[in-house]
Amino acid sequence: MSETGKMSSRMSDRQKDLVQKFAALGSLVALTAVFSLTSNAFFSIDNAMTIALQVTSIGLLGIGATCVIITGGIDLSVGSVLALSGVVAAIAVKEYDFPIWLAMVAGILTGTICGLLNGIAVTRLKLPPFIATLGMMLIARGFALQITGARAVSGLGDAFGELGNGSLFRIESIGADGFPNVTFPGIPYPVILMVVIAIAVSYMLNRSVLGRHIYAVGSNADAARLSGVNVDRVTIFTYILSGALAGLTGCVLMSRLVTGQPNEGVMYELDAIASAVIGGTSLIGGVGTISGTAIGAFVIGILRNGLNMNGVSAFIQQIIIGFVILGTVWIDQLRNRR
């Protein structure tokens, strides 16, 4: 392909990404407007923090999913890896008296190893990403249930809940009745974590050689290989990143619950993939941004929160979000055909 053709293709991808991102942003604004009219409590600070916490899990998993999908892959295992990582951290504290920070590291390392195994299965064993990560989904969930006896790991202590329930800049005072009055609930630690990681991964994708290689692998793996890119190593890295973020998400979620739940994270992988696709990441690879995924995560989070506040049942919510996913993927397919 000529240099002009490459530039034209790059501009075309960028324009498609911008169109999708602005469409997602428009949906976000529309949802916010509708739910603010249907519920007076929607714009409260407490509800804003609730939405932010709900979006954290989707956002962290979505960041990993974005990098994997950009390379032309898919990761269906993150929900189960999340559960396994979280219960590993909980068991490390409960059974082996690990310090909290070391237990969290063990949880994140568990997710990282699962991601590495996914990457090896895809690159070395040449398994389709769908099959490789589907297998890991079953393996990780099975391990989580086996090592816990399918029971929650409780009695972890208040310190275990600090990461998931603590906040920065919290302002409160003791009232005349002796109870604390919260003036500002603070910015939850999980939200800060999500923002920092989103900025770091976005910088990596847009400003580093590794980021350019990730896009190159997704655009045309054979051409990238001929250009000197180690395609297998880049692909494995994206699965490791996805697994590590699933491990971190598991630790954060279990910390919020102050228990290790082996059944946590069911269907979370679909939310992660949906947030990426809603934000403009193409399922055929080569196109996607972290900022778009963040918008997609907030679309799903606000949609769920608004439906809850309006008394819509969880079953109807599943139907609605299912239609949103189908519609978004359909739009992505139309965009790629054009």
Side-chain angles (χ1 to χ4, degrees):
M1 186 184 289
S2 69
E3 199 63 34
T4 307
K6 287 179 184 176
M7 285 296 292
S8 173
S9 174
R10 220 170 283 138
M11 284 302 293
S12 175
D13 284 345
R14 199 170 297 160
Q15 285 167 355
K16 287 193 290 185
D17 177 58
L18 281 172
V19 168
Q20 182 76 8
K21 195 185 294 184
F22 277 114
L25 191 57
S27 301
L28 183 61
V29 172
L31 285 172
T32 304
V34 169
F35 290 135
S36 64
L37 292 173
T38 58
S39 174
N40 293 328
F42 184 79
F43 265 135
S44 66
I45 291 177
D46 287 342
N47 191 53
M49 291 305 164
T50 299
I51 292 171
L53 277 172
Q54 288 173 341
V55 166
T56 300
S57 299
I58 304 171
L60 286 172
L61 295 177
I63 290 167
T66 300
C67 293
V68 171
I69 294 170
I70 287 172
T71 63
I74 200 84
D75 191 350
L76 300 177
S77 68
V78 290
S80 297
V81 170
L82 173 161
L84 177 60
S85 301
V87 298
V88 164
I91 289 171
V93 170
K94 180 77 180 289
E95 304 293 338
Y96 300 101
D97 294 321
F98 274 37
I100 303 297
W101 69 269
L102 189 57
M104 297 295 181
V105 169
I108 296 169
L109 187 59
T110 300
T112 304
I113 292 169
C114 291
L116 173 62
L117 293 175
N118 279 335
I120 290 172
V122 170
T123 57
R124 298 286 192 266
L125 302 182
K126 304 299 181 185
L127 295 177
F130 182 92
I131 299 301
T133 58
L134 181 64
M136 180 56 72
M137 179 178 78
L138 298 173
I139 292 166
R141 183 70 65 184
F143 267 115
L145 292 167
Q146 178 65 33
I147 64 178
T148 59
R151 293 187 297 271
V153 182
S154 56
L156 301 174
D158 292 340
F160 190 83
E162 184 63 25
L163 174 64
N165 298 302
S167 59
L168 192 66
F169 305 129
R170 182 182 175 88
I171 301 171
E172 63 178 41
S173 57
I174 304 299
D177 55 4
F179 290 98
N181 295 322
V182 178
T183 307
F184 178 63
I187 305 169
Y189 290 146
V191 175
I192 296 170
L193 260 178
M194 180 185 70
V195 170
V196 169
I197 290 170
I199 291 170
V201 176
S202 181
Y203 182 87
M204 181 270 293
L205 284 175
N206 294 307
R207 296 281 183 264
S208 73
V209 173
L210 176 59
R212 288 196 291 274
H213 287 176
I214 288 172
Y215 281 109
V217 169
S219 296
N220 190 322
D222 291 333
R225 190 176 285 108
L226 291 171
S227 300
V229 176
N230 190 323
V231 172
D232 286 356
R233 191 176 297 171
V234 170
T235 302
I236 289 173
F237 169 79
T238 61
Y239 283 101
I240 288 174
L241 178 62
S242 181
L245 289 175
L248 175 61
T249 308
C251 291
V252 169
L253 272 177
M254 304 305 172
S255 176
R256 277 178 63 190
L257 299 169
V258 202
T259 54
Q261 295 281 1
N263 287 310
E264 190 64 43
V266 175
M267 304 293 281
Y268 276 39
E269 56 277 350
L270 297 186
D271 279 355
I273 294 166
S275 68
V277 176
I278 288 170
T281 303
S282 174
L283 287 171
I284 64 170
V287 177
T289 60
I290 300 302
S291 57
T293 298
I295 293 169
F298 272 97
V299 167
I300 294 173
I302 286 176
L303 182 59
R304 281 226 168 93
N305 178 267
L307 293 173
N308 275 330
M309 294 186 82
N310 284 280
V312 178
S313 76
F315 308 120
I316 300 297
Q317 287 183 39
Q318 274 188 279
I319 294 169
I320 292 170
I321 291 171
F323 274 118
V324 168
I325 293 171
L326 288 174
T328 308
V329 173
W330 177 63
I331 291 167
D332 176 58
Q333 294 299 311
L334 288 178
R335 184 182 65 176
N336 288 319
R337 284 190 206 125
R338 286 173 185 171

